[in-house]
């Protein structure tokens, strides 16, 4: 017979680990997509392509066209051009596409002045022997080799957002350990102590402090400012009628990010990941934190070990939360059989699905684990509505 303490331990563990909702299932072909609202247009588009006969219905075609939808329609104001500018006011894009049949990847990071980032990522996959191309070089590849148009990614809305941020003293931002970085706009300088440490030659010691450490505090590196309203990603997993998988991700990244920052989106195993005999997952949220755990790859491995899609997603985001309990993130997963689920942490995640036999795209809201920190998308929308009401 189990002892009383052991009984309570097992009971509490069962309650803590119980999935917030069970995984659902759809008939193949299937498209699974992070977010609802205007993001469902991408789900519709991808499924329509996937349903076409012959080569036109190729899974990579479906991903590209589906994700193009959000890149060109600015889904959520956070995907594609005119979205969140970086700390210089420029909008840059990250994207990745992965084919489970070949286990091949194409990605771009910090792409400038080209709107269809996922198409450039596919170009990297199909027309180079590399996996990721970044920055201006990615732009030159897109324009000179793929024949894409070079154009500004800024809009009056993104320019206004940058102006408002500057007027607020460039706060919040994602710099740390610099003089005045919490009160003023960049560029910033190191403190005199940090400058002295950086200038020291090898073998002369690493610090003048009594502790022998840098004056920069070594603390958990995650931003409390990341929420659904100042960044986002569209992540998509498709399964064709033959049961073959592919996944893709595209985003303009985190608002007011440090120029050159690349998040989890273009990194295989982080932004998304697929195994053709198991399933696939895609992530959204605080990519700087989540990429440290290769969450999509781990969740697929959990499904390979027998976990349902929901269980795999919840297990993975709890793994991240064990180190960063205040982070925001979420993921969607689907297995080879068309069973799908999702999980979010401190994050009001929704997702959309369309499978064979569904007349319309179905959407779901996920009850977040860990609660919801303040500052999320719904709160921002409510604040905006209240502000408009006061003006009226």
């Amino acid at each position: 017979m189990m002892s009383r303490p052991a009984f309570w331990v097992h009971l509490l563990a069962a309650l803590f680990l119980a999935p917030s909702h069970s995984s659902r299932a759809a008939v193949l072909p299937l498209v699974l997509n992070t977010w609802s609202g205007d993001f469902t247009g991408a789900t519709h588009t991808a499924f329509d392509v996937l349903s076409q006969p012959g080569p036109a219905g190729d899974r990579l075609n479906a991903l590209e066209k589906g994700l193009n939808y959000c890149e060109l329609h600015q889904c959520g104001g956070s995907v594609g051009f005119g979205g969140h500018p970086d700390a210089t006011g420029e909008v840059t894009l990250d994207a990745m596409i992965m084919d489970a049949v070949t286990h091949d990847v194409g990605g771009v990071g910090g792409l400038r002045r080209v709107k269809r980032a996922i198409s450039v990522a596919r170009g990297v996959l199909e027309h180079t022997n590399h996996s990721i191309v970044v920055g201006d070089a990615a732009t030159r590849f897109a324009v000179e080799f793929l024949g894409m148009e070079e154009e500004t990614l800024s809009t009056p809305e993104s320019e206004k957002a940058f102006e408002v941020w500057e007027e607020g003293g460039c706060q919040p931002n994602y710099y740390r350990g610099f003089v005045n970085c919490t009160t003023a706009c960049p560029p910033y300088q190191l403190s005199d102590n940090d400058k002295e440490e950086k200038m020291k030659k090898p073998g002369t010691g690493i610090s003048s402090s009594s502790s022998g450490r840098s004056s920069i505090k070594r603390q958990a590196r995650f931003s409390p400012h990341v929420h659904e309203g100042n960044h986002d990603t569209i992540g998509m997993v498709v399964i064709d009628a033959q049961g073959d998988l592919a996944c893709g991700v595209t985003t303009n990244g985190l608002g007011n990010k440090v120029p050159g920052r690349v998040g989890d989106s273009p990194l295989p195993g982080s932004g998304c990941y697929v195994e053709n005999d198991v399933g696939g997952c895609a992530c959204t949220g605080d990519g700087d934190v989540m990429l440290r755990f290769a969450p999509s790859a781990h969740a697929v491995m959990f499904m390979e070990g027998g976990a349902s899609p929901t269980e795999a997603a919840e297990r993975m985001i709890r793994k991240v939360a064990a180190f960063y309990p205040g982070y925001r993130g979420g993921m969607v997963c689907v297995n080879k059989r068309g069973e799908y689920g999702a999980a979010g942490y401190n994050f009001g995640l929704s997702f959309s699905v369309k499978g064979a036999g569904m007349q319309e795209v179905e959407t779901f809201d996920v009850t977040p684990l860990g609660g919801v920190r303040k500052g999320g998308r719904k709160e921002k929308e409510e604040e905006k509505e209240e502000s408009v009401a006061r003006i009226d």
Side-chain angles (χ1 to χ4, degrees):
M1 180 180 294
M2 185 181 297
S3 66
R4 181 170 295 178
F7 169 80
W8 285 109
V9 168
H10 281 273
L11 177 60
L12 290 172
L15 290 172
F16 180 75
L17 294 175
S20 59
H21 64 87
S22 60
S23 297
R24 300 168 174 86
V27 179
L28 305 183
L30 176 149
V31 177
L32 173 67
N33 180 23
T34 56
W35 303 113
S36 53
D38 54 355
F39 289 83
T40 60
T43 312
H44 269 294
T45 301
F47 186 81
D48 287 346
V49 174
L50 200 63
S51 301
Q52 294 178 19
D58 177 77
R59 58 193 174 280
L60 297 188
N61 289 343
L63 273 173
E64 181 182 5
K65 298 304 181 185
L67 297 179
N68 280 161
Y69 176 92
C70 273
E71 290 174 331
L72 300 178
H73 287 79
Q74 303 169 291
C75 293
S78 60
V79 175
F81 74 102
H84 303 122
D86 66 17
T88 68
E90 183 178 14
V91 177
T92 60
L93 308 175
D94 301 335
M96 177 186 68
I97 192 166
M98 182 174 186
D99 184 8
V101 174
T102 60
H103 213 73
D104 203 355
V105 169
V108 290
L111 178 68
R112 308 174 71 186
R113 304 183 301 279
V114 176
K115 287 183 176 179
R116 293 182 291 125
I118 194 64
S119 297
V120 185
R122 186 175 182 182
V124 172
L125 184 152
E126 294 184 336
H127 298 292
T128 78
N129 287 329
H130 303 311
S131 295
I132 303 176
V133 181
V134 300
D136 275 331
T139 302
R140 291 196 299 274
F141 174 71
V143 174
E144 297 173 9
F145 289 82
L146 302 179
M148 294 187 179
E149 181 180 359
E150 185 171 0
E151 56 189 319
T152 181
L153 299 181
S154 296
T155 61
E157 291 77 15
S158 66
E159 292 172 352
K160 180 61 177 178
F162 181 68
E163 289 175 8
V164 170
W165 181 69
E166 278 194 312
E167 290 169 359
C170 300
Q171 304 301 315
N173 62 52
Y174 303 96
Y175 296 90
R176 61 196 298 265
F178 291 101
V179 176
N180 296 329
C181 67
T182 60
T183 58
C185 290
Y188 305 115
Q189 293 184 338
L190 294 170
S191 68
D192 290 340
N193 285 342
D194 287 319
K195 285 181 183 177
E196 182 179 341
E197 289 168 359
K198 297 292 184 184
M199 293 298 291
K200 284 185 177 180
K201 295 180 180 180
T204 62
I206 63 169
S207 175
S208 59
S209 66
S210 59
S211 65
R213 296 179 180 271
S214 167
S215 62
I216 299 176
K217 293 181 180 179
R218 301 305 178 193
Q219 57 190 21
R221 290 195 312 119
F222 87 100
S223 175
H225 309 303
V226 175
H227 54 71
E228 305 95 309
N230 73 350
H231 95 292
D232 218 344
T233 299
I234 177 172
M236 181 180 288
V237 184
V238 303
I239 311 178
D240 65 21
Q242 290 71 47
D244 293 327
L245 287 95
C247 70
V249 183
T250 186
T251 183
N252 60 42
L254 186 62
N256 311 124
K257 62 190 177 185
V258 175
R261 178 263 190 185
V262 173
D264 62 330
S265 295
L267 305 181
S270 293
C272 75
Y273 187 77
V274 280
E275 290 276 0
N276 210 41
D277 58 349
V278 182
C281 299
C283 291
T284 184
D286 190 339
D288 292 296
V289 168
M290 297 183 75
L291 67 81
R292 302 168 195 170
F293 297 82
S296 293
H298 273 96
V300 170
M301 293 174 190
F302 293 153
M303 290 194 293
E304 186 175 26
S308 72
T310 299
E311 291 167 342
E314 294 191 344
R315 182 177 172 184
M316 187 61 238
I317 65 168
R318 282 194 171 107
K319 186 179 181 72
V320 181
F323 288 85
Y324 302 96
Y327 92 106
R328 278 190 168 114
M331 61 192 313
V332 295
C333 295
V334 60
N335 64 23
K336 183 80 169 180
R337 298 184 297 277
E339 297 170 343
Y340 55 88
Y345 203 91
N346 293 323
F347 203 62
L349 179 67
S350 63
F351 66 96
S352 57
V353 180
K354 189 168 185 183
M358 293 183 181
Q359 296 301 312
E360 299 293 337
V361 171
E362 295 186 6
T363 62
F364 304 90
D365 291 320
V366 179
T367 301
L369 305 172
V372 179
R373 284 184 12 226
K374 291 192 177 295
R377 174 182 292 151
K378 289 184 178 180
E379 289 178 339
K380 292 294 180 183
E381 290 174 349
E382 290 170 359
E383 289 173 6
K384 184 176 180 181
E385 290 174 359
E386 290 175 359
S387 176
V388 171
R390 285 195 296 270
I391 293 172
D392 292 343

